[in-house]
Amino acid sequence: MILHKDIDKVLISQEEIENIVNSLAKQIEKDYNDKEFIMVGLLKGSIPFMADLMRHIHLDFFVDCITAASYGSGTETSGTVRIVHDMTVSVKDKHVLIVEDIVDSGHTLSAVVNMLMERGAKSVKICTLCDKPARRKVPLVPDYSGIEVPDAFIVGYGLDFAQKYRNLPYIGILKPEVYETT
Ligand code: IMP
Ligand code: MG
């Protein structure tokens, strides 16, 4: 494995990610076996996760995306959530499974969940790869959670810092000097 020069250490290896994704897919497959649902990825962070997850779920379902902006380019949440790009199919009377890279304060997801419920979704559940419960500002418990992560800024496998590092195949902790000088 080639370690990026800005990464301090690997927190979740490529192999661990694969195992987590597999086990999440199995649970979802079991729970949604008799349900029609729409998988909704939050762009851009969920791109690699959703791409891998959907290929392990052997059911028929729709796929759509939402871009919700809650962050600038820094490491702190702003609290206000804006829908930059919306879905193209209706969620009315449909089960929705939101796919997210990480739940941090919970602001983004609670806003998106509320919006989809208001639009008449039959159910809205959350599948997140990473959960950072120490940082939660609103009460929100993901229905499917891959791994609990410590209160550190992590990048890779969709997670960015200032739009970089999304393409790393693992999740790592950034060297502090990288964000201190940005
Ligand atoms: P929340 O609204 O505070 O829960 O923020 C969720 C969003 O913040 C995620 O979808 C990520 O895009 C971003 N985020 C939170 N923590 C991290 C991190 O450690 N690394 C990279 N992005 C993060
Ligand atoms: Mg995100």
Side-chain angles (χ1 to χ4, degrees), residues 96-110:
V96 177
L97 179 65
I98 302 172
V99 177
E100 175 64 310
D101 51 1
I102 188 166
V103 186
D104 190 44
S105 71
H107 284 306
T108 311
L109 275 175
S110 65

Side-chain angles (χ1 to χ4, degrees), residues 21-32:
V21 171
N22 260 317
S23 100
L24 288 171
K26 280 210 186 82
Q27 294 173 49
I28 292 166
E29 205 172 80
K30 198 166 125 245
D31 296 352
Y32 285 85

Side-chain angles (χ1 to χ4, degrees), residues 118-131:
E118 273 166 24
R119 290 180 183 177
K122 211 185 271 179
S123 74
V124 180
K125 286 193 175 183
I126 296 163
C127 174
T128 186
L129 178 65
C130 303
D131 190 7

Side-chain angles (χ1 to χ4, degrees), residues 67-80:
T67 307
S70 63
Y71 266 59
S73 55
T75 60
E76 289 296 317
T77 191
S78 69
T80 43

